[in-house]
Amino acid sequence: MSFKIAIIGAGSVGFTKKLFTDILCVPEFRDIEFALTDLSEHNLEMIKAILDRIVEANGLPTKVTATTDRRQALTGARYIISCVRVGGLEAYADDIRIPLKYGIDQCVGDTICAGGILYGQRNIPVILDFCKDIREVAEPGAKFLNYANPMAMNTWAAIEYGKVDTVGLCHGVQHGAEQIAEVLGAKSLSEFDYICSGINHQTWFIDLRLNGRKIGKDELVAAFEAHPVYSQQEKLRIDVLKRFGVYSTESNGHLSEYLPWYRKRPEEITRWIDMSDWIHGETGGYLRHSTETRNWFETEFPQFLESAAKPIDPAKRSNEHASHILEALETNRVYRGHFNVKNNGIITNLPFDAIIESPGFVDRFGINMVSGVTLPEACAATCIASINVQRMSVHAAISGDIDLLKLAVLHDPLVGAVSTPEEVWQMVDEMVVAQARWLPQYADAVPAAKERLSKSKVQTRDWAGAARRTVRSIEELRAEKAALKQAV
């Protein structure tokens, strides 16, 4: 069996290595080709060296190529996987720091809220460029597997405007299921079954079975509150479970920024988060984590090469969906997972045009979604608020309409809980100006935004954030990494 997989953003070394080894756990895939592409030639050289070592150590005929020419990488590809972050950490810092001046306290800021919406504005033009290349040079009927955030917006744009067969993939459902299985005392994940449905990062475990026995709300609440770690790290998720009756897939910090109730006042935020790790709600936590680890793979490159020389162990295949989807499509071995696709009635009480995340089965005939799912009303209401923001955000990104972009941000649940319309209008102007180089669709709007900012009367504050650790400067980190690299 021979076909070509292109990975866009392959310079994300750790994730690319995981996808690569997962796919090569499938015996039939020994003869395939991986085409890596990224803007960074340096990162491509590093990841190609690692993957070549894996191929050599395992005596495989697998072909690995690397190029900064995306179109060349996509030529003839049957599957295209995207894990890009447009604008990198420089743009991402604006997603967190500018809204914080207006009191909008985000932990991650990559899905909705002010940061996630602007992230989508940067990504969508690039996603459409990917889709154009896929239509023109990839294998006819090629499938686009999107791992990049903001998941729903990127997938929405690729399906609706890119006209490419697209599925969005995430691992939040798997991680949530592992938590629940642990608190319920399951000896292995095989004892635990579940149905999870909603939208990406707001997906809900609406049916839980442990060894076939249905698990109710009260039992699940008691199990989480009795857990010595999760009872402290997941206080907000547990509170939502108590009120909604179902558990959310997403981490404490992620979930907190999609809701209008928990991050709107500094004194409230500290009640619900945990500072043992960034993911539990730290202000700008993911930005700090990403900044501090931005070059970790360079300092650990020798260790990466050493580990790459070991045999691939199929028992260590990860639960990332990509390899399992490809295996099902190519071999007809059926795979069940949770996928991001256009709703079209799959979830009965969410809009037809929304990108939903829900169970499906994959075989040679494609991804076959389970239809007729109905969410609890509170879950549906929460999802619909986000879907309305996503829809406006996608339309703004396509049209370059800065007024529609401002309306999208205004309607975001957390933004609306803390900011006035005047603040939102100024904040969006400031973000668009700061990120203009990654926002070609707003080029005509930037001069007027600059003019408005020069006359603005809206006061901002030097918010430290409700719960924030010190972020070392990028220059300090670079010096530290350089010293470590030299020592190695």
Side-chain angles (χ1 to χ4, degrees):
M1 183 178 293
S2 179
F3 55 87
K4 182 178 180 180
I5 301 171
I7 303 179
I8 308 175
S12 177
V13 174
F15 193 63
T16 299
K17 178 177 178 288
K18 179 190 290 187
L19 293 177
F20 182 81
T21 53
D22 280 352
I23 291 168
L24 290 183
C25 286
V26 182
E28 291 88 344
F29 291 173
R30 293 169 52 89
D31 291 317
I32 66 176
E33 176 184 350
F34 288 86
L36 315 177
T37 186
D38 196 279
L39 294 176
S40 170
E41 189 169 355
H42 174 61
N43 283 19
L44 278 178
E45 290 174 355
M46 295 181 71
I47 185 60
K48 186 176 187 302
I50 292 168
L51 302 192
D52 282 343
R53 178 69 62 87
I54 293 172
V55 169
E56 179 184 1
N58 288 272
L60 298 172
T62 311
K63 182 179 179 181
V64 180
T65 62
T67 177
T68 55
D69 184 337
R70 184 184 69 233
R71 197 171 173 91
Q72 178 182 329
L74 295 182
T75 299
R78 183 176 299 176
Y79 301 103
I80 299 91
I81 302 174
S82 172
C83 40
V84 299
R85 177 157 65 181
V86 177
L89 287 179
E90 185 177 354
Y92 181 39
D94 291 332
D95 291 342
I96 302 300
R97 292 170 183 164
I98 292 175
L100 195 58
K101 291 165 58 178
Y102 296 84
I104 300 165
D105 188 315
Q106 302 167 102
C107 173
V108 184
D110 70 352
T111 302
I112 55 168
C113 207
I117 293 170
L118 264 294
Y119 193 17
Q121 305 307 296
R122 299 195 301 275
N123 272 269
I124 286 172
V126 175
I127 291 287
L128 296 185
D129 285 344
F130 297 170
C131 290
K132 179 177 182 294
D133 286 346
I134 292 169
R135 292 194 310 269
E136 292 178 355
V137 301
E139 184 177 292
K143 184 175 288 291
F144 183 31
L145 288 75
N146 175 63
Y147 269 106
N149 284 317
M151 175 61 64
M153 295 184 211
N154 288 346
T155 305
W156 197 319
I159 293 172
E160 189 70 23
Y161 295 96
K163 304 301 181 184
V164 165
D165 181 9
T166 305
V167 59
L169 304 177
C170 186
H171 42 236
V173 173
Q174 298 97 300
H175 290 175
E178 290 165 358
Q179 269 195 340
I180 296 172
E182 180 181 337
V183 301
L184 292 176
K187 296 177 182 177
S188 70
L189 281 173
S190 63
E191 297 180 347
F192 181 55
D193 298 305
Y194 55 92
I195 294 175
C196 199
S197 193
I199 63 174
N200 183 240
H201 291 175
Q202 292 178 53
T203 324
W204 309 89
F205 289 95
I206 58 176
D207 196 343
L208 305 174
R209 309 291 174 105
L210 183 63
N211 292 317
R213 180 176 64 84
K214 189 174 179 66
I215 304 298
K217 166 193 166 183
D218 293 341
E219 182 177 355
L220 190 59
V221 169
F224 269 103
E225 290 188 326
H227 195 278
V229 177
Y230 298 147
S231 59
Q232 299 305 307
Q233 292 179 341
E234 307 289 3
K235 293 188 286 286
L236 187 149
R237 287 170 90 182
I238 294 170
D239 190 66
V240 172
L241 166 62
K242 289 178 178 178
R243 299 180 192 280
F244 283 39
V246 290
Y247 196 61
S248 168
T249 54
E250 215 41 57
S251 67
N252 204 71
H254 250 328
L255 182 60
S256 69
E257 59 191 7
Y258 310 142
L259 306 172
W261 313 302
Y262 298 97
R263 293 191 79 93
K264 62 183 178 180
R265 293 192 296 270
E267 65 274 16
E268 284 296 310
I269 297 172
T270 54
R271 288 180 56 200
W272 297 109
I273 68 174
D274 179 85
M275 292 293 287
S276 62
D277 198 3
W278 69 265
I279 201 169
H280 308 307
E282 176 190 343
T283 301
Y286 190 52
L287 174 61
R288 178 184 66 80
H289 171 77
S290 299
T291 303
E292 293 181 350
T293 60
R294 64 180 297 165
N295 294 320
W296 66 273
F297 54 86
E298 294 199 11
T299 60
E300 298 185 12
F301 183 63
Q303 290 88 341
F304 262 95
L305 276 179
E306 182 180 351
S307 66
K310 298 176 181 177
I312 293 173
D313 183 0
K316 294 181 179 179
R317 184 179 179 184
S318 83
N319 59 9
E320 293 291 348
H321 293 302
S323 71
H324 301 279
I325 291 174
L326 269 57
E327 180 180 11
L329 290 170
E330 295 293 336
T331 72
N332 209 36
R333 289 193 281 270
V334 178
Y335 173 63
R336 180 186 185 273
H338 290 74
F339 313 119
N340 290 267
V341 299
K342 191 171 182 178
N343 186 22
N344 287 333
I346 293 166
I347 301 177
T348 63
N349 51 348
L350 292 186
F352 265 60
D353 61 340
I355 300 300
I356 54 93
E357 187 170 61
S358 207
F361 294 84
V362 190
D363 58 20
R364 203 182 297 281
F365 295 97
I367 297 175
N368 312 286
M369 300 298 290
V370 177
S371 62
V373 177
T374 300
L375 295 178
E377 287 190 68
C379 299
T382 300
C383 287
I384 288 170
S386 294
I387 289 167
N388 289 337
V389 171
Q390 292 165 353
R391 183 188 295 108
M392 282 191 283
S393 299
V394 171
H395 292 167
I398 296 295
S399 64
D401 185 340
I402 195 170
D403 293 325
L404 183 57
L405 174 60
K406 291 173 178 178
L407 288 168
V409 176
L410 181 69
H411 281 83
D412 179 86
L414 181 57
V415 172
V418 301
S419 300
T420 67
E422 291 84 359
E423 289 170 334
V424 171
W425 257 238
Q426 178 173 308
M427 177 182 68
V428 173
D429 277 343
E430 187 174 348
M431 295 180 81
V432 168
V433 168
Q435 300 184 14
R437 77 181 97 163
W438 301 290
L439 299 172
Q441 70 273 48
Y442 293 106
D444 292 342
V446 169
K450 288 181 178 178
E451 178 69 15
R452 288 190 293 270
L453 288 171
S454 70
K455 300 176 180 178
S456 175
K457 298 180 181 178
V458 176
Q459 296 297 309
T460 62
R461 285 197 267 170
D462 184 18
W463 291 76
R468 194 172 197 180
R469 292 175 176 165
T470 302
V471 180
R472 288 173 290 164
S473 73
I474 289 177
E475 289 71 24
E476 289 173 322
L477 288 163
R478 283 176 177 164
E480 178 184 319
K481 300 295 185 184
L484 284 170
K485 186 176 181 181
Q486 186 174 6
V488 170

